[in-house]
Amino acid sequence: MSRPMNRRQDNHKISRELFVLTYGALVAQLCKDYEKDEDVNKYLDRMGYDIGIRLIEDFLARSAMRKCRSYSETVDVIAQVAFKMYLGITPSVSCSNTTENEFFLMLDNNPLVDFVEELPPGRSSLCYCNLLCGVIRGALEMVHLAAEVTFVQDRLKGDDVTEIGITFPKRLEVKKHKRNK
Amino acid sequence: MADSPLFQALHMEMAHALCADQEKGLGALEGVGFRVGQGLSERLTKEMPSFKDELDVVKFLCKDLWINVFKKQVDNLRTNHQGTYMLQDNQFLPLSRLSNGKQYLEEAPKFLAFTCGLVKGALSNLGFDSTVTAEVTAMPSSKFQVVIQKS
């Protein structure tokens, strides 16, 4: 029948489809249970956080990543290794010009919204993929990096692109001096 | 190797989060499973020829649907040929991570509700109304009883 390589790729596709379908069903159920978009968003974020604090172990075990030495390296790993591993996409990374602690992940081909053309009526403030923000935040916290993670732009809400913003606390100046010694 | 850590993680988290309010939660979990069952059976049967009969449909659940979601087939299928089917999975994936035996038995319903909905949803998409209940006496083995309503 199919060559082993094809079957492996098929299996990944099947697994991902199941996750995408389940995620959509979950969002639909939450919209049924909670009237306010804000409540659904918070719920998704919290669930994502709980998943993230556990998923990090799976990630570290499967990727055998060494400790990252900078915020920039960390975000690159999230985009190029983690997103690739779990969702099969590689968001592009950009850094805010003004500071070195604010990054953006641009999601070009987000599989989570594969079956979603637009937000349900009356749900214009829904952050459909908010689970992702929670997952990233939870996972980062387990490697001792506190960060704020939110959707800064969302195609489903009418923006041109879908972008996740990751903001780390500013590094203290003291560390710089120590390095120069 | 077929692996779905994201789905497993999501299923586990749904079981915990949605069931903070146990009674409402089981219904919500089943609702999520129902929608997934509808969508999944739609996608899986797209390229397939139509089913011969009711038993054929149930066999599809035990094989194609189960493999897609739980990476294995149902181990045992019994029927009274009058609309009642019993599906037994001796290594039910969601439970196999909980325990082997009687420990955490009271937690089991949370991890079965989604699947009950899944089966119901799949059958619904294929034109059958049903009730699905699950029973666990010793983890990780589970039995799903499907009663297809006569139209």
Side-chain angles (χ1 to χ4, degrees), chain A residues 8 11 14-15 17-19 21-23 25-26 28-29 32 43 47 50-51 54-55 58 62 86-87 115, chain B residues 1-7 9-10 13-14 17-18 24 28 31-32 35-36 39-40 43 68-69 71 114:
Chain A
R8 204 179 7 224
N11 284 334
I14 289 170
S15 294
E17 258 191 25
L18 176 62
F19 173 71
L21 271 175
T22 306
Y23 185 72
L26 169 67
Q29 184 67 41
K32 204 165 144 223
Y43 202 98
M47 280 187 75
D50 286 342
I51 290 175
R54 292 189 195 96
L55 199 67
D58 178 86
R62 298 213 279 154
Y86 293 111
L87 290 174
F115 308 128
Chain B
M1 185 183 71
D3 211 328
S4 53
L6 266 187
F7 171 72
L10 184 61
E13 179 54 29
M14 285 194 305
L18 291 175
K24 200 172 153 227
V32 177
R35 283 192 186 86
V36 178
L40 205 55
R43 298 186 74 71
N68 194 287
V69 182
K71 314 305 166 199
F114 174 85

Side-chain angles (χ1 to χ4, degrees), chain A residues 59-75:
Chain A
F59 174 70
L60 291 175
R62 298 213 279 154
S63 65
M65 293 293 317
R66 281 194 328 263
K67 192 174 153 99
C68 292
R69 285 159 303 171
S70 67
Y71 289 148
S72 168
E73 205 180 320
T74 306
V75 178

Side-chain angles (χ1 to χ4, degrees), chain A residues 41-56 74 78 82-83 105 129-151 164-169:
Chain A
N41 293 342
K42 272 202 204 122
Y43 202 98
L44 285 172
D45 182 81
R46 212 182 68 223
M47 280 187 75
Y49 178 84
D50 286 342
I51 290 175
I53 59 177
R54 292 189 195 96
L55 199 67
I56 182 72
T74 306
I78 294 174
F83 263 90
L105 295 176
C129 299
N130 222 29
L131 192 99
L132 288 183
C133 294
V135 174
I136 296 173
R137 199 178 85 245
L140 283 174
E141 201 170 292
M142 292 310 277
V143 291
H144 308 294
L145 286 173
E148 266 175 49
V149 189
T150 53
F151 274 94
I164 295 178
I166 305 180
T167 307
F168 298 98

Side-chain angles (χ1 to χ4, degrees), chain B residues 14-29:
Chain B
M14 285 194 305
H16 282 124
L18 291 175
C19 289
D21 174 353
Q22 176 99 355
E23 216 179 283
K24 200 172 153 227
L26 293 181
L29 267 176

Side-chain angles (χ1 to χ4, degrees), chain A residues 11 16 102 124 141 146:
Chain A
N11 284 334
R16 213 159 281 143
E102 205 177 326
S124 51
E141 201 170 292

